[in-house]
Amino acid sequence: MPDIRQWFTGLAPRERLLVASAASLTLVAVVVIGVLRPLAASRAAAQAGLEEKRAVLADIERVAARFGPNAGARAAPVQASGESLVVMVDRTTRAGGLGAYLKRNEPDGDSSIRLRFENAPFDEMVRWLAGLQATQGIGVIAASIDPGQDVGRVNANLQLSRGPAPH
């Protein structure tokens, strides 16, 4: 195999210019296609993900402002029924169309309960929680909510409490 430098110097000046230009263009194409395009694509994907997360955060903040701990301070006190939390949750989830999504219903003392919803409609779950707070004085004291299988669906671990939330 002949030496490349020797071959290159053996070319006519015009051919050397043509080969050097082609090599430069090839190098630029490799850098653009192999480095810059993937970087730009990953940046665009990250930006889209960030915008989506900001939209979800704005939704959560709007819901928290409406139904959060300070929202109950403006409302009149509610008289709770004597019904147990387990029975009330079972009855109200069925009435609210959430019974099929409730996968775990575990009492946590006399005035608290832990729930697990899977692939539940988010809007219906929030309406149900707001109704519990407004009509029964039952509030959310802990929540972990993740996206479900479909748009508008969530998997949620909730802890509800009757009366004032523990601090």
Side-chain angles (χ1 to χ4, degrees):
M1 184 165 182
D3 184 36
I4 291 183
R5 281 188 221 152
Q6 196 176 29
W7 169 80
F8 187 74
T9 55
L11 294 175
R14 192 175 212 178
E15 290 173 333
R16 272 186 271 172
L17 179 62
L18 184 63
V19 169
S21 298
S24 297
L25 287 174
T26 302
L27 180 63
V28 168
V30 166
V31 168
V32 167
I33 292 170
V35 177
L36 297 179
R37 267 191 172 169
L39 282 176
S42 66
R43 183 180 186 277
Q47 186 68 27
L50 178 63
E51 293 302 320
E52 181 181 332
K53 285 177 178 31
R54 283 182 178 159
V56 169
L57 178 61
D59 288 344
I60 290 171
E61 287 173 343
R62 192 170 50 252
V63 169
R66 186 169 177 197
F67 302 110
N70 295 335
R74 295 184 300 263
V78 177
Q79 285 295 332
S81 70
E83 193 173 35
S84 79
L85 280 176
V86 173
V87 172
M88 183 180 302
V89 164
D90 184 59
R91 178 179 53 79
T92 58
T93 53
R94 289 174 196 256
L98 294 170
Y101 307 107
L102 181 62
K103 301 301 179 187
R104 191 176 71 223
N105 180 342
E106 180 181 312
D108 188 21
D110 291 337
S111 62
S112 183
I113 189 167
R114 294 179 188 274
L115 307 173
R116 170 72 181 165
F117 288 92
E118 292 181 3
N119 208 34
F122 179 74
D123 293 341
E124 290 177 32
M125 191 172 66
V126 169
R127 275 192 286 277
W128 172 72
L129 289 168
L132 278 181
Q133 184 174 7
T135 62
Q136 303 296 324
I138 297 172
V140 177
I141 58 173
S144 169
I145 301 173
D146 298 310
Q149 297 170 350
D150 301 317
V151 173
R153 302 287 180 136
V154 294
N155 297 322
N157 291 308
L158 304 173
Q159 184 176 5
L160 307 181
S161 177
R162 179 178 278 150
H167 295 284

